[in-house]
Amino acid sequence: MPIMDSKTGKIKRDYTIEELVEKAREMRAYNMVSLTAAGSGHTGGTLSVMDIAAALYLKKIRHDPQNPNWEDRDRVFWSTGHKAPALYVALGEAGYFPVKEAVKLRKLWSGFEGHPHRLRLPGVELSAGSLGQGLGVAVGCALNAKLEGKNYRVYCLNGDGELDEGSIWEAIMCAAHYKLDNLVSIVDRNGLQIDGPTEEVMKLESLVTKWRAFEWNTIEIDGHNMKEILAALDEAEKMKGKPTVIIAKTVKGKGVSYAENVVAYHGIAPKDGRSGKESLDRALEDIGDSSFTKEKVNKLLKIADDYQKEVNKKIEASMPQFSRNYWWNSANGMKVEMDATRNGFGRAIKKLGSDKRVVALGADITSSIRMNEFYAEHPARKKRFFSMGIAEANMALVASGLAKEGKIPFIGSYGVFVTGRNWDQLRTTVCYNNFNVK
Amino acid sequence: MPIMDSKTGKIKRDYTIEELVEKAREMRAYNMVSLTAAGSGHTGGTLSVMDIAAALYLKKIRHDPQNPNWEDRDRVFWSTGHKAPALYVALGEAGYFPVKEAVKLRKLWSGFEGHPHRLRLPGVELSAGSLGQGLGVAVGCALNAKLEGKNYRVYCLNGDGELDEGSIWEAIMCAAHYKLDNLVSIVDRNGLQIDGPTEEVMKLESLVTKWRAFEWNTIEIDGHNMKEILAALDEAEKMKGKPTVIIAKTVKGKGVSYAENVVAYHGIAPKDGRSGKESLDRALEDIGDSSFTKEKVNKLLKIADDYQKEVNKKIEASMPQFSRNYWWNSANGMKVEMDATRNGFGRAIKKLGSDKRVVALGADITSSIRMNEFYAEHPARKKRFFSMGIAEANMALVASGLAKEGKIPFIGSYGVFVTGRNWDQLRTTVCYNNFNVK
């Protein structure tokens, strides 16, 4: 069901497959402009999921951009919140707001946050970012439809890396238990996560066998073939008594030559900015939407730039200022050299690694937190590093088992994850057992 | 490998299958005495796992009770800490301490805590209780053996209910990733959990298909057939390149007629105490170890009783006491009527349930926290109650999805689980989204 008028029930806009392919191209172009304007963001995943996003928002789901909270709309949950820029251009193309607005990505007060915020932008169903959570919410939403006899359908966009998370498997089990045939998970199977190929970080294959064992209907497709995407979405709708997972084989960074299948392009914007080898211009050339002329791109970047200038003005106006500088707020002796905590962590673990009892466990952000310093210049230490995937709970437990046997394990992730996603594991297993887990 | 002398490498004690069957009978008898003496504890699971415990501690694992921390010993992790009484009688029979000591179950300072504490009792590998954690620790322990080229083997006793927990599936995935063929999980598949049959609480079947899909070697056995148990343990040892799961079909409460397959006997001691319909005497009669004469049982109960008296004396001696009572510490007007918080919760949710937006989500302790009051006298409300299994993370997420659609979901579990096992889900999904989850 394409874009609707919720009042009249009439179709507002429909697309042919050829038009959708063109739209996906245009969306990729807007996406790259917005990432470049922001100077940061997730190139890889936004490009791998883009054809699916186009298929959903411009063709498959029943929704009305003029009535974002329409009760009968189909719901799409983005469990991988970091792919927000793709969501924004999809919403823009669908008509929730002018698509060019999305170039204000990651700018203060714009609503186009780095990770989506449902209270700040129409059409966003879920504020997300911490992985492994969207599918459970989608289950609740689908359960509500069953309870109330509603016909809306629920879609959840999942990444492959986040399938390491146990909370995902709880949701998978639960959806099958309640026979939620109004629920579809689409896995953006691009095969890469931050630390490397998924199969090296934490083996997922045979992924389809796993979902099938959990009693889901499974469909495997080429996630860049618009016809296959639409056919799979239609097929899922016919399934009775089971939720459906569409495992969409995709290419991370799809459409931009220098980003395709490049692990480093998980979480960065074009390295060389506007022009150069790994630049926006080169990306647009690869994408090949001829409407993105130099002038158009200039205009778009100016929207972002002007907006940022306004933001800067407002910030400056709200800052207390002195009529002049004094020694205590400006003299050189009063300044400290700043360094990120993670750099200190990296230096420390590099040094401590000479103790053979020290082992390191990574949760797919090993370089981000500089844990790679542990083995970077000491290849022999690599065997004392264990990739745990995005599974912080298990990481704390495995570290406990190693500590029990006399090792000194360091577990690493961002603070919120490594305390918040394994709080009970820390309480019961690490603390009660008095295990020396760092 | 049976019980060894770690110094000489000689076998200390070996058992025939017939002797093991007798030993398991004796262990069940000691178990029931200790539960009765304690007046509380988990009858169901301790009896369902007992034959497996006997097979492991008296026959299969290489260990030396006189040298509990022997580096080359095989390790057994009890992920289901609540089955501790079975662990204690197994350790006692193996020789870690006189088995009759185990009747001091749940008594202060005895070391025989309701859930095992590894720092207080020799032979206990892991302090546990909060479900879903033991397998991850076992993975870490097995990983250490691989890293150090050690030959010890690692066993993990898992319940079936705890397989609802996502952290278990993280560990399952991780063990396969690291090809831990020195690791065996034994699932005590008794088919019941606190809220009812596992398949009603959260469907697990086909369980063997799920483990197989996660690339484990799988063996299915009758968990009360000593020959099958031992054969499976031997077969697991031959497997190369994969961890093994032994799914042992068992009967909860096995051996005690009034407890067999009775959900209520998950977490209680014989209702009628020493004698009567559901009593210790009746249990011992069912178990049929003729050595448990009235005199022997009396003696055992006296050990527990005398110990408790000593404890009481010590407690009293340490309490500040007045030479006489005053109005402010003894008058009737100074006393308050106490009631458990959960009773208040039960009354409140019963009342609030008249609002059709209110839905309740249970995590397998629905009656324990009086959430059943929601529907007890209002059968029509049952469709607004959702069993989530032992999966607190997913419970918070599903509740979020329901809240998003206008429901007012109450999620229920013990405080530590419902904040600690879903801390990040509360932070990211419930709070950032401003979902009305209670």
Side-chain angles (χ1 to χ4, degrees), chain B residues 315-322:
Chain B
I315 291 175
E316 275 163 32
S318 70
M319 293 289 231
Q321 288 195 335
F322 301 106

Side-chain angles (χ1 to χ4, degrees), chain A residues 75 125 130 404-405 424, chain B residues 75 125 130 404-405 424:
Chain A
R75 275 81 163 159
E125 298 282 354
S130 180
K404 185 178 183 310
E405 302 305 334
D424 194 47
Chain B
R75 275 80 163 160
E125 297 282 354
S130 180
K404 185 178 183 309
E405 302 305 334
D424 194 48

Side-chain angles (χ1 to χ4, degrees), chain B residues 122-167:
Chain B
V124 173
E125 297 282 354
L126 186 71
S127 306
S130 180
L131 294 171
Q133 305 198 23
L135 189 58
V137 183
V139 167
C141 183
L143 210 49
N144 181 71
K146 292 283 178 189
L147 183 63
E148 301 296 340
K150 298 259 179 201
N151 285 325
Y152 66 76
R153 291 182 61 75
V154 181
Y155 298 90
C156 185
L157 291 173
N158 288 108
D160 49 4
E162 70 165 342
L163 303 182
D164 299 346
E165 288 282 10
S167 54

Side-chain angles (χ1 to χ4, degrees), chain A residues 10 14 21 26 29 48 90 100 115 118 122 127 156 181 218 231 235 239 249 255 274 299 309 318 326 346 364 366 380:
Chain A
K10 282 187 187 150
D14 198 4
V21 170
E26 185 176 297
S48 66
K100 64 179 195 293
H115 295 77
R118 76 175 191 109
S127 306
C156 185
D181 50 19
T218 60
E235 192 188 325
M239 186 68 206
K249 182 85 193 62
R274 177 71 194 268
K299 268 190 194 166
K309 279 179 187 148
S318 71
Y326 299 87
D364 197 35
T366 305

Side-chain angles (χ1 to χ4, degrees), chain A residues 71 73 75 77 117-119 124-141 143-144 147-148 152 163-167 169-179 198-206 209-215 356 359 361 383-388 390-395 397-402 404-407 416-417 419-430 432-435, chain B residues 71 73 75 77 117-119 124-141 143-144 147-148 152 163-167 169-179 198-206 209-215 356 359 361 383-388 390-395 397-402 404-407 416-417 419-430 432-435:
Chain A
E71 223 181 307
R73 76 191 182 283
R75 275 81 163 159
F77 292 91
H117 196 321
R118 76 175 191 109
L119 305 173
V124 173
E125 298 282 354
L126 186 71
S127 306
S130 180
L131 294 170
Q133 306 199 22
L135 189 59
V137 183
V139 166
C141 184
L143 210 49
N144 181 70
L147 183 63
E148 301 296 340
Y152 66 76
L163 303 182
D164 299 345
E165 288 282 10
S167 54
W169 294 96
E170 291 180 1
I172 290 173
M173 196 184 275
C174 186
H177 182 77
Y178 285 102
K179 303 182 197 305
T198 58
E199 302 313 283
E200 288 173 24
V201 174
M202 184 51 63
K203 186 171 185 288
L204 290 171
E205 290 297 336
S206 157
T209 309
K210 289 188 172 72
W211 285 82
R212 211 175 279 149
F214 276 69
E215 311 215 324
K356 286 220 176 348
V359 295
L361 290 83
K383 74 175 182 5
R384 283 191 275 136
F385 168 79
F386 300 104
S387 166
M388 291 287 111
I390 312 173
E392 297 79 6
N394 188 53
M395 178 166 67
L397 298 173
V398 173
S400 297
L402 287 158
K404 185 178 183 310
E405 302 305 334
K407 294 289 180 293
V416 288
F417 302 143
T419 52
R421 289 198 76 106
N422 52 16
W423 193 93
D424 194 47
Q425 286 75 23
L426 297 178
R427 180 185 72 92
T428 314
T429 296
V430 175
Y432 284 175
N433 285 280
N434 203 20
F435 287 139
Chain B
E71 223 181 307
R73 76 193 182 282
R75 275 80 163 160
F77 293 91
H117 196 321
R118 76 175 191 109
L119 305 173
V124 173
E125 297 282 354
L126 186 71
S127 306
S130 180
L131 294 171
Q133 305 198 23
L135 189 58
V137 183
V139 167
C141 183
L143 210 49
N144 181 71
L147 183 63
E148 301 296 340
Y152 66 76
L163 303 182
D164 299 346
E165 288 282 10
S167 54
W169 294 96
E170 291 180 1
I172 291 173
M173 196 184 276
C174 186
H177 182 77
Y178 284 103
K179 303 182 196 305
T198 58
E199 302 313 283
E200 288 173 24
V201 174
M202 184 51 63
K203 186 171 184 288
L204 290 172
E205 290 297 335
S206 157
T209 309
K210 288 186 171 72
W211 285 82
R212 210 175 281 150
F214 276 69
E215 311 214 324
K356 288 221 176 345
V359 296
L361 290 83
K383 74 175 182 6
R384 283 191 276 135
F385 168 78
F386 299 104
S387 167
M388 291 287 111
I390 312 174
E392 297 79 5
N394 189 53
M395 178 165 68
L397 298 173
V398 173
S400 297
L402 287 159
K404 185 178 183 309
E405 302 305 334
K407 295 289 180 292
V416 287
F417 302 143
T419 52
R421 289 197 77 106
N422 52 16
W423 192 93
D424 194 48
Q425 286 74 23
L426 296 178
R427 179 184 72 92
T428 314
T429 296
V430 175
Y432 284 176
N433 285 280
N434 203 20
F435 287 139

